[in-house]
Amino acid sequence: MAVEIVKERYRSQVREVVLGATKEEGGTRGKTIKVGGQTALPFLHFEGENPNRPVVAMEVWDIVPEEWPDNLKSYFEDVYEDPAAWAKKCVDEYGADLIALRFKGAHPDRKDASAEDCVAVLKKVLEAVEVPLIILGCGVSEKDNEIIGPIGEAGAGENLLLGTAEQDNYKSVASACMAHKHCIIAQSPVDINICKQLNILIAEMSTPLLDKIIIDPVISAVGYGIEYSYSIMERARFGALQGDRMLAMPAIANVSQEVWNKKETYVPKDEEPEWGEQADRSLAWESATAMAMLHSGTDILVMSHPRAVEIIKTHIDELMQNS
Amino acid sequence: MIIIGERINGMFRDIAEAIREKDPKPVQDWAKKQEAMGSGYLDLNVGPAVSDRVSAMKWLVEVTQEVSDLPLCLDSTDYDAIEAGLEVCKRPAMINSVPAVQDKMDRIFTMANKYNAEVIGLAMSAEGIPKDAESRVALAMELVANCDAYGVPLDSLYIDPLVLPCNVGQDHGPEVFETLRQVKLLSDPSPKTVVGLSNISQGTENRELINRNFAVMAMACGLDAAIADACDEELIAAVATGRVLLNMDIYCDSFVDVFKTQNL
């Protein structure tokens, strides 16, 4: 007897968000990237549409990533003094779908780079690569609020993805996005209620921004509570498919940031012999973390290790077959 | 629970006049207002006083669609008027309603199949509204069987157990709640359920209080939809709260506003 496949029917879909803008659209990108639009759970092609493939962004910093372990730094040794060259290498050699430009140097304890410095870096990177850009600050809210306005203005027309709005600090980023028509990252601390509330707060400032929000539910690395991140993503996606328009946003995961500051990725083998080779271990850590988030339905993975990027992109190819 | 906004009905003087004068403004104002309060559907009823119900229904559908993308609930005992409305609906609509009477079910489910429409099935027969839950459920089963036989998906059928005013039919209240629970066991997928909410408070004092209490009690019994006054703020707040407490909507601090803006 033939087995009938039981299919779940959902009544709604994830919003589709376009990142970047080509010349015709007022920007200078070679092509745009579309994310979201799903009408079923991740990769369940028999139940609905997963019209856009998940994408991998690679991190580029405005300063040398001193804290990265050698096995990661070695891939960028020739370029990490120059963000533009670094970005170009990520795209040309390592297949990055987009670049996540992190202004780590703006941190008051690092270079305390000014808004002008940041804008100069942005312009160089925009010239060097044709992929859409994600903009991430240094993590200190006061400083990020200072630089985000000028960055938004300098990138006007490019439809950047600007980070990072949080529940108690979203107005500067939202204003920059409204004024210069960029997309916005809405970050919530592994909390589905705040995730939803922040989207509402942003919508109250500007209803059109609803279709330009990428949610960042904040992920954790393998071994650091990734189960919680996974279940938040799962809940948000179920909500979206069942008609919750305030949770129906594509999602981003900062894999690289969460992984490369964990001891499992940088402690050498001679300190922890049972853990095995640090180079293999750290590669596995970033790949496994990204893999879990990919399967949770994350649309944009921000990563660093070129080999991990390759593993994930190959896996995305496999998952998107028969889509 | 989904709110089916009840206000575009020829029983109200402004709508009756709008239909008579072919003035779309009152209809469109109410459509927008009800949508802004979180209605999931808009009920359209041409009312009793209209001479040509067919063209009136067609007109109501057309002018409502000009300002709202919500699905429409075509409310009439004149099936020609419903069919005329279905013909011009841009997206699948809901038929309101059919009793468990064979020739009427034959016509309505054929129409539902043809126009991919949902159907409100009334738990009443030619003999009228039964008094107890058991008889209501038996009639619901007839509706389910006919729905299935005509190839209409069972989850497109909304069973209305029929609500009577609490001052005259007080003993019907518990029977309605019991019917709501039992209807869910009739089939897999189960039919959905709907009530005409304002009926419960017909002729009483403090109607809003009665309406919203009945609404949340019925929600707890599994009620899926209610034809109701979408502009009753307290009712909308109560329904939004009920949805959160029943784990139908994910909580956030602005949960009442979210219910209203669900169509954004």
Side-chain angles (χ1 to χ4, degrees):
Chain A
M1 205 177 89
V3 176
E4 196 192 338
I5 305 289
V6 179
K7 292 180 187 173
E8 217 41 78
R9 275 200 315 177
Y10 298 105
R11 61 188 184 91
S12 197
Q13 78 181 105
V14 179
R15 293 168 194 266
E16 203 164 61
V17 178
V18 179
L19 305 174
T22 60
K23 263 198 193 84
E24 297 75 46
E25 295 155 342
T28 59
R29 304 300 83 201
K31 61 170 184 142
T32 58
I33 284 180
K34 242 190 235 172
V35 289
Q38 298 90 334
T39 60
L41 289 175
F43 313 113
L44 298 190
H45 305 304
F46 68 96
E47 283 192 340
E49 302 285 320
N50 282 261
N52 302 302
R53 44 178 288 142
V55 291
V56 176
M58 288 183 75
E59 278 212 20
V60 170
W61 294 10
D62 60 338
I63 52 169
V64 176
E66 302 285 3
E67 59 261 57
W68 281 0
D70 288 342
N71 73 305
L72 176 58
K73 252 195 305 201
S74 63
Y75 286 94
F76 307 103
E77 252 163 6
D78 50 335
V79 290
Y80 60 43
E81 308 263 357
D82 175 2
W86 184 354
K88 195 163 162 39
K89 189 172 190 185
C90 286
V91 174
D92 294 350
E93 287 186 34
Y94 303 138
D97 296 310
L98 57 178
I99 292 296
L101 185 53
R102 193 182 284 283
F103 287 101
K104 204 90 172 175
H107 197 291
D109 299 340
R110 308 291 278 255
K111 245 178 67 186
D112 201 16
S114 67
E116 294 75 48
D117 299 336
C118 296
V119 165
V121 170
L122 171 69
K123 285 187 171 163
K124 281 206 294 184
V125 174
L126 278 170
E127 266 174 41
V129 294
E130 288 200 322
V131 299
L133 297 193
I134 301 170
I135 304 299
L136 301 166
C138 65
V140 177
S141 308
E142 300 77 39
K143 186 61 191 283
D144 285 342
N145 288 343
E146 268 174 44
I147 64 172
I148 201 67
I151 286 176
E153 196 179 344
E158 297 287 1
N159 193 20
L160 305 168
L161 174 54
L162 292 187
T164 305
E166 295 177 70
Q167 190 181 20
D168 49 7
N169 183 40
Y170 62 94
K171 289 188 176 157
S172 313
V173 188
S175 303
C177 291
M178 280 161 67
H180 305 292
K181 299 197 167 59
H182 297 302
C183 296
I184 185 166
I185 299 176
Q187 189 185 77
S188 45
V190 204
D191 183 320
I192 191 82
N193 306 134
I194 294 175
C195 176
K196 187 167 170 177
Q197 184 68 18
L198 179 55
N199 291 337
I200 294 153
L201 294 172
I202 292 170
E204 278 171 4
M205 278 182 76
S206 155
T207 310
L209 262 189
L210 264 181
D211 290 311
K212 304 201 80 162
I213 297 175
I214 302 288
I215 54 171
D216 174 5
V218 173
I219 66 139
S220 340
V222 167
Y224 290 83
I226 197 170
E227 306 85 337
Y228 296 104
S229 312
Y230 191 98
S231 69
I232 293 281
M233 263 305 293
E234 202 173 32
R235 188 120 195 266
R237 201 43 64 88
F238 266 126
L241 295 175
Q242 284 162 359
D244 192 333
R245 302 302 289 150
M246 288 298 167
L247 280 171
M249 287 74 180
I252 188 170
N254 279 302
V255 176
S256 171
Q257 172 176 259
E258 290 303 320
V259 164
W260 291 100
N261 60 2
K262 299 295 180 292
K263 59 183 185 298
E264 284 82 356
T265 55
Y266 62 75
V267 168
K269 189 183 175 189
D270 51 9
E271 279 180 37
E272 292 284 355
E274 287 181 356
W275 289 6
E277 289 297 341
Q278 176 268 335
D280 301 338
R281 188 199 321 138
S282 61
L283 169 60
W285 225 265
E286 184 171 26
S287 307
T289 302
M291 194 75 86
M293 295 326 294
L294 177 65
H295 281 267
S296 78
T298 304
D299 302 85
I300 307 169
L301 298 155
V302 183
M303 302 178 63
S304 288
H305 196 301
R307 178 78 189 104
V309 170
E310 191 188 333
I311 290 169
I312 292 298
K313 288 196 70 162
T314 306
H315 191 58
I316 292 173
D317 287 341
E318 291 163 4
L319 287 168
M320 289 303 283
Q321 275 175 21
N322 312 318
S323 64
Chain B
M1 190 181 80
I2 302 163
I3 300 279
I4 302 170
E6 69 182 6
R7 191 54 179 72
I8 304 177
N9 188 320
M11 303 251 279
F12 294 101
R13 198 182 305 156
D14 58 346
I15 299 296
E17 215 172 280
I19 294 172
R20 205 168 43 243
E21 306 294 329
K22 287 258 187 286
D23 172 15
K25 194 165 180 304
V27 174
Q28 295 179 337
D29 285 351
W30 280 113
K32 286 186 265 187
K33 225 184 283 181
Q34 294 181 105
E35 180 165 359
M37 291 295 286
S39 293
Y41 291 75
L42 297 174
D43 192 78
L44 302 183
N45 185 324
V46 298
V50 175
S51 52
D52 182 356
R53 288 187 292 239
V54 171
S55 66
M57 180 62 92
K58 199 165 159 262
W59 180 79
L60 270 188
V61 169
E62 284 166 347
V63 298
T64 306
Q65 286 184 148
E66 281 171 21
V67 296
S68 174
D69 288 336
L70 288 183
L72 304 176
C73 178
L74 309 183
D75 184 356
S76 182
T77 48
D78 181 337
Y79 295 167
D80 292 334
I82 287 185
E83 181 138 28
L86 287 173
E87 271 172 15
V88 289
C89 276
K90 286 187 200 153
R91 49 196 75 71
M94 186 185 275
I95 297 170
N96 183 10
S97 55
V98 64
V101 174
Q102 198 55 51
D103 61 325
K104 295 187 172 174
M105 290 192 287
D106 291 340
R107 168 103 198 253
I108 287 294
F109 286 119
T110 306
M111 235 193 266
N113 192 316
K114 180 174 172 192
Y115 295 97
N116 190 21
E118 297 177 307
V119 176
I120 294 179
L122 308 176
M124 67 182 285
S125 62
E127 283 83 55
I129 301 175
K131 194 168 155 353
D132 58 9
E134 206 172 77
S135 320
R136 281 177 161 93
V137 172
L139 293 171
M141 191 62 223
E142 276 187 46
L143 289 155
V144 166
N146 276 274
C147 178
D148 197 35
Y150 279 96
V152 175
L154 289 172
D155 50 5
S156 292
L157 175 64
Y158 285 73
I159 299 292
D160 181 348
L162 291 166
V163 170
L164 296 183
C166 67
N167 56 350
V168 290
Q170 220 169 331
D171 49 347
H172 279 267
E175 304 298 329
V176 165
F177 293 135
E178 184 54 28
T179 307
L180 289 175
R181 285 187 210 104
Q182 288 191 22
V183 158
K184 288 291 172 190
L185 308 174
L186 289 180
S187 60
D188 182 18
S190 62
K192 293 178 176 156
T193 50
V194 64
V195 296
L197 185 65
S198 307
N199 283 349
I200 192 67
S201 63
Q202 210 55 262
T204 65
E205 285 298 311
N206 212 340
R207 293 195 61 180
E208 283 86 359
L209 178 65
I210 293 172
N211 288 347
R212 66 176 176 269
N213 274 284
F214 186 78
V216 290
M217 290 171 79
M219 283 176 79
C221 299
L223 181 66
D224 295 295
I227 302 164
D229 177 3
C231 298
D232 176 350
E233 293 268 0
E234 296 279 347
L235 170 67
I236 297 301
V239 170
T241 310
R243 288 185 61 94
V244 168
L245 297 179
L246 287 166
N247 195 26
M248 298 167 81
D249 286 336
I250 293 173
Y251 173 84
C252 70
D253 293 347
S254 306
F255 65 92
V256 176
D257 291 337
V258 170
F259 180 79
K260 292 185 197 168
T261 55
Q262 62 186 308
N263 301 313
L264 280 181

